[in-house]
Amino acid sequence: MASMTATTPATASQREQRPGRTTYRAVFAVSEFRVLFAGMLMYVLGFEFELLGLSVLVFAQTRSALLTALAFSMGFAPQAIGGALFTALADRFPPRLVIGTGLLTRAAPGLVIGLWPALPVPAMLALVAVAATQAPVFTAAISGLLPDVLDGDRYVLGRSVFNLTAAGTQIAGLGIGGVLLAAVPVRWLLLAAGGALVIAAVVARLGLRPRPARVPRGQVRAARGIVSRGGYDRLAPCCLSGRCSGLAPGEGRS
């Protein structure tokens, strides 16, 4: 009995010292995370509304199912080009600038097509395709900034929130857009989406702290120098998660 009495206080103190569970409430308590979440949500919704409105306008002009399908695919296919050629821009420029620019770029097709819905079909397709190429840059900037905003278990929950939001909004966005199209003309849907994205860009500008680029240009040039001299074995340890770690030739980490 004496031994049981002696161990009970120690067990209680250990429970008191154990850290509490991280909750989604704690994640959303971080103001910068709320800004990133709102930006991601508006970006995906604007993307879905834009593709839906573009498809409706193209079908109204051409009555062609093939061109309508092509219009819908213009939001996805160019992302492969942007991912291959432009993703590094997310590391070479300050994240707040990249995120704000991405939101404004996404807003441009909706605003332009909403103001001039009689634009030729090739012009509308080109606008959406150009905006789609920067989607991987925007996503990379948000993903790279998230570890600076959240730490530990909150980062894990924050990543799950972003993944669920992106997937769920893509599914629900077309349904919401269809309901809205039953009540308002397509141009108003596009203008509303574009205007909301502009507001999201302003919120990102005001709500995110200024941070420098993760990879200065000098370090990018150093990495290119390694590649040009055939030093791929030295470059490989520098490239983690698609980003250069910033090691110049002959340098190491302490």
Side-chain angles (χ1 to χ4, degrees):
M1 292 293 294
S3 61
M4 292 179 60
T5 305
T7 56
T8 301
T11 304
S13 63
Q14 289 175 359
R15 290 176 180 173
E16 291 177 358
Q17 294 174 2
R18 186 178 302 170
R21 288 182 57 186
T22 302
T23 63
Y24 288 104
R25 184 174 184 177
V27 172
F28 279 96
V30 181
S31 61
E32 284 192 297
F33 177 80
R34 294 196 301 269
V35 173
L36 291 178
F37 176 79
M40 173 65 78
L41 182 65
M42 292 309 307
Y43 190 92
V44 178
L45 277 179
F47 171 75
E48 297 295 330
F49 291 170
E50 177 186 286
L51 289 186
L52 182 61
L54 176 66
S55 301
V56 170
L57 288 176
V58 169
F59 185 77
Q61 287 192 24
T62 64
R63 298 295 174 181
S64 169
L66 177 61
L67 288 177
T68 303
L70 178 63
F72 194 83
S73 68
M74 280 296 101
F76 298 97
Q79 292 187 28
I81 300 175
L85 299 179
F86 306 129
T87 306
L89 296 176
D91 289 332
R92 297 187 62 181
F93 292 95
R96 186 175 68 172
L97 174 63
V98 176
I99 292 171
T101 302
L103 289 167
L104 292 176
T105 304
R106 181 83 273 165
L111 294 175
V112 173
I113 297 173
L115 291 173
W116 295 282
L119 278 174
V121 170
M124 290 192 290
L125 296 181
L127 278 172
V128 174
V130 170
T133 58
Q134 60 79 44
V137 183
F138 175 83
T139 304
I142 285 189
S143 298
L145 184 58
L146 193 59
D148 296 336
V149 174
L150 301 175
D151 57 353
D153 291 340
R154 290 194 299 181
Y155 168 74
V156 177
L157 290 183
R159 287 287 298 177
S160 69
V161 168
F162 272 19
N163 292 335
L164 291 173
T165 300
T169 307
Q170 285 182 359
I171 297 172
L174 293 177
I176 297 173
V179 171
L180 292 175
L181 279 179
V184 299
V186 62
R187 63 178 303 179
W188 293 114
L189 176 66
L190 292 170
L191 289 173
L197 285 165
V198 172
I199 295 174
V202 174
V203 172
R205 175 69 180 180
L206 298 177
L208 296 177
R209 293 193 295 108
R211 293 177 175 87
R214 286 187 293 273
V215 180
R217 297 191 179 188
Q219 294 175 352
V220 174
R221 288 194 295 268
R224 288 176 178 172
I226 298 176
V227 175
S228 65
R229 293 191 295 272
Y232 298 101
D233 56 337
R234 285 184 291 163
L235 181 64
C238 301
C239 297
L240 302 173
S241 303
R243 297 204 302 261
C244 177
S245 63
L247 292 182
E251 291 182 346
R253 286 181 181 269
S254 57

